[in-house]
């Protein structure tokens, strides 16, 4: 999963006419590391979406703007609009992630 390196990159991606899934995380978060262990096949199953990782500490302003209160959180954007937000307490298992992404089809 490609990591966001700039605000400009983030803006360009979320403005695209396709689903962009932004995984807000940090380097020290145990739940983030656990999600990373099983997210690969889920990304492959959802080839109609682009997936990116955003460091919530490096981009605190984005995390605040989009109401990321816990990590990991998965936010979905399309055409510059936030369409969905899977909060951290619901992003702990592959089933929870798959069910969340299935609502976007």
């Amino acid at each position: 999963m490609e990591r966001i390196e700039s605000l400009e990159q983030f803006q360009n991606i979320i403005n695209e006419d396709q689903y962009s899934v932004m995984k807000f995380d940090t380097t020290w978060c145990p739940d983030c590391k656990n999600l990373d262990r099983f997210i690969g096949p889920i990304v492959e199953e959802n080839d109609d979406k682009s997936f990116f990782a955003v460091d919530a500490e490096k981009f605190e302003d984005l995390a605040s703007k989009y109401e990321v209160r816990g990590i990991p959180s998965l936010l979905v954007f399309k055409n510059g609009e936030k369409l969905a937000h899977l909060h951290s307490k619901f992003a702990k298992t592959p089933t929870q992630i798959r069910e969340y992404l299935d609502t976007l089809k």
Side-chain angles (χ1 to χ4, degrees):
M1 185 177 312
E2 184 180 346
R3 188 158 287 282
I4 296 297
E5 297 297 336
S6 70
L7 290 173
E8 180 182 14
Q9 179 191 19
F10 180 88
Q11 284 303 135
N12 289 340
I13 292 166
I14 70 166
N15 285 328
E16 292 178 3
D17 185 27
Q18 69 172 13
Y19 292 119
S20 299
V21 180
M22 297 291 177
K23 175 182 68 99
F24 279 78
D25 62 9
T26 64
T27 57
W28 53 263
C29 165
D31 287 339
C32 301
K33 292 182 187 333
N34 184 50
L35 182 131
D36 287 343
R37 288 193 350 234
F38 64 76
I39 194 79
I42 295 171
V43 170
E44 291 174 15
E45 294 164 14
N46 288 273
D47 58 1
D48 61 324
K49 300 168 187 69
S50 299
F51 288 79
F52 298 88
V54 181
D55 188 315
E57 290 182 323
K58 182 176 178 182
F59 294 100
E60 286 182 46
D61 290 345
L62 287 177
S64 177
K65 177 179 180 178
Y66 293 110
E67 301 175 338
V68 175
R69 305 261 192 270
I71 50 173
S73 285
L74 298 178
L75 283 65
V76 179
F77 296 87
K78 185 176 181 182
N79 297 318
E81 181 181 349
K82 180 175 126 178
L83 302 176
H85 187 147
L86 184 65
H87 296 275
S88 58
K89 69 180 179 178
F90 302 113
K92 305 243 188 241
T93 69
T95 301
Q96 288 174 315
I97 305 288
R98 283 185 174 100
E99 288 174 354
Y100 167 69
L101 293 172
D102 284 347
T103 66
L104 301 169
K105 294 181 180 178

